[in-house]
Amino acid sequence: MQITDPIADLLTRIRNASTAKHPSVEVPASNLKKAICQILVDEGYIKGVQMIEDNKQGTLRLTLKYQENGAPVISGLRRVSKPGLRIYTNCEDMPRVMKGLGTAIISTSKGVMTDKAARAANVGGEVLAFVW
């Protein structure tokens, strides 16, 4: 089955698995998804990401993170730039998610990075997603 927006599929799988309190979720792998998941690990939204090799494209196993009371750490995920409407920004107009409490994931010419890292590197790019 061909998916028209694999990043939205990744975010939806994470959102659904965390709402259902699953310990982990598996998604088809790609380099962009690996970079997005690594940002989620670095920012503390998920515990870890593991690459599972097969003879095809492979899968990513994401270990989800929950708070002491059982609530998911990720309270919201939103896809910003869609295949039908791409959203780009420069470093001066970089969006702030929840007034700085959330994270925007940006695809720049220097790789996929957070909004804070893109501001520090003085680069703009495509706004992929918001996480809070």
Side-chain angles (χ1 to χ4, degrees), residues 66-95:
Y66 296 96
Q67 297 172 3
E68 299 286 328
N69 60 2
V73 172
I74 297 176
S75 58
L77 284 166
R78 189 169 70 105
R79 178 79 158 114
V80 178
S81 181
K82 300 176 174 75
L85 179 63
R86 301 289 185 186
I87 306 294
Y88 297 96
T89 184
N90 56 19
C91 63
E92 290 85 21
D93 300 331
M94 196 71 61

Side-chain angles (χ1 to χ4, degrees), residues 113-127:
M113 57 182 71
T114 64
D115 55 339
K116 295 171 190 71
R119 266 189 225 95
N122 201 21
V123 292
E126 183 180 355
V127 183

Side-chain angles (χ1 to χ4, degrees), residues 36-68:
I36 291 171
C37 292
Q38 190 58 48
I39 286 176
L40 292 177
V41 170
D42 294 342
E43 294 293 314
Y45 291 110
I46 59 176
K47 281 185 188 173
V49 58
Q50 177 186 8
M51 180 69 183
I52 300 170
E53 294 289 337
D54 58 5
N55 293 334
K56 300 177 201 123
Q57 73 185 49
T59 58
L60 292 171
R61 178 176 290 141
L62 309 174
T63 308
L64 301 177
K65 192 173 183 181
Y66 296 96
Q67 297 172 3
E68 299 286 328

Side-chain angles (χ1 to χ4, degrees), residues 8-25 27 64 66 72 74 76-77:
D9 178 61
L10 166 75
L11 298 177
T12 301
R13 286 182 192 219
I14 293 172
R15 187 183 312 113
N16 290 344
S18 66
T19 303
K21 306 277 195 288
H22 289 282
S24 65
V25 62
V27 295
L64 301 177
Y66 296 96
I74 297 176
L77 284 166

